[in-house]
Amino acid sequence: LATDATVSSPVGQYTITASQGTLVSNNYSFTYATGKLSVTKAAIIVKADDKNRPYGSSNPVLTVSYSGFVNGETLATSGLIGNIQLSTTSTAGSNTGVYPITVVQGTLASANYSFAFVSGKISIGKSVITVTAVNKSRLYGDVNPQWSVVYTGFKNGETLISSGITGSPAITTDADLFSPAGTYPIKVGIGSLLSDKYIFQFTEGSLLVEKVPVVVRVDNKSKVYGSANPTWTVTYEGLKNGETIS
């Protein structure tokens, strides 16, 4: 039995011929009728590639992967023509979560391959919000000012009010009433902040403790004409924290 079809033969029908070979019989003679070999399309799997992006960003370029080529062929050498169609329900305004990427045949065609399509998914993760402590200043001996922070990185035109963020950050400093003049870090932490669309990163601010202006007032004096000047003295005004000149 023989046929002209080989591993590389395209899809189609090929004749199977029979010849006597070693076939013998005392009582029979033989005639031979041909058969046929049907070469059918091999199956190619077209899978939408999974993607990731942060909330508020544009969708990445959607792509697919092909598997199942035979005879050492690749997409470039397989003879596939046309294009598949990819779509997703994910948009720039979509909340965090997982959304399907669907793939359909579109104009994709091949003489030697059939197609099976497998959906993918796009995972939308949280975007980053930077919470920065606002720099502050005060005089030595004064209570610390009211702390505040600035939020940056909102997406889709959102603001702190419309973003759905709840809670507030924890803001601390090591400076107190008795801390000497100088610069101290204002530290920011997660506190009670919560969001289903954003994660938080924190940037410290600084508290500048400035010197207090002290008034050095010369005390009034008097003396009798012709006598030596009295000892001069001064009074210090503006000292903090119950301090005295000593």
Side-chain angles (χ1 to χ4, degrees), residues 150-166:
V150 173
Y151 297 82
T152 55
F154 290 111
K155 301 291 185 176
N156 295 326
E158 293 176 346
T159 64
L160 179 60
I161 294 173
S162 63
S163 67
I165 292 175
T166 60

Side-chain angles (χ1 to χ4, degrees), residues 111-156:
N112 295 320
Y113 294 100
S114 61
F115 306 102
F117 300 96
V118 180
S119 296
K121 64 179 184 293
I122 182 165
S123 300
I124 300 178
K126 294 182 178 183
S127 287
V128 176
I129 286 289
T130 300
V131 185
T132 303
V134 176
N135 296 334
K136 301 286 183 175
S137 64
R138 67 167 173 84
L139 295 176
Y140 166 75
D142 286 352
V143 297
N144 286 328
Q146 185 72 37
W147 308 125
S148 59
V149 295
V150 173
Y151 297 82
T152 55
F154 290 111
K155 301 291 185 176
N156 295 326

Side-chain angles (χ1 to χ4, degrees), residues 18-130:
S19 59
Q20 186 163 346
T22 59
L23 188 66
V24 295
S25 172
N26 291 327
N27 298 318
Y28 294 96
S29 62
F30 306 98
T31 57
Y32 300 95
T34 59
K36 64 180 179 181
L37 171 66
S38 297
V39 178
T40 58
K41 292 185 177 184
I44 286 289
I45 296 174
V46 185
K47 184 186 183 305
D49 298 323
D50 293 339
K51 301 289 182 176
N52 298 279
R53 69 168 176 86
Y55 168 73
S57 297
S58 299
N59 286 329
V61 175
L62 302 180
T63 57
V64 296
S65 297
Y66 297 84
S67 60
F69 291 112
V70 296
N71 294 326
E73 293 177 344
T74 64
L75 178 61
T77 62
S78 64
L80 267 65
I81 60 173
N83 298 288
I84 50 87
Q85 292 180 349
L86 288 162
S87 61
T88 180
T89 55
S90 164
T91 67
S94 296
N95 284 331
T96 54
V98 178
Y99 297 81
I101 302 172
T102 56
V103 53
V104 295
Q105 186 163 351
T107 59
L108 189 66
S110 172
N112 295 320
Y113 294 100
S114 61
F115 306 102
F117 300 96
V118 180
S119 296
K121 64 179 184 293
I122 182 165
S123 300
I124 300 178
K126 294 182 178 183
S127 287
V128 176
I129 286 289
T130 300

Side-chain angles (χ1 to χ4, degrees), residues 131 151 165-171 187-195 198-202:
V131 185
Y151 297 82
I165 292 175
T166 60
S168 57
I171 308 173
K187 303 170 187 176
V188 190
I190 188 69
S192 59
L193 284 174
L194 288 173
S195 174
Y198 295 100
I199 57 175
F200 303 97
Q201 66 180 18
F202 302 96

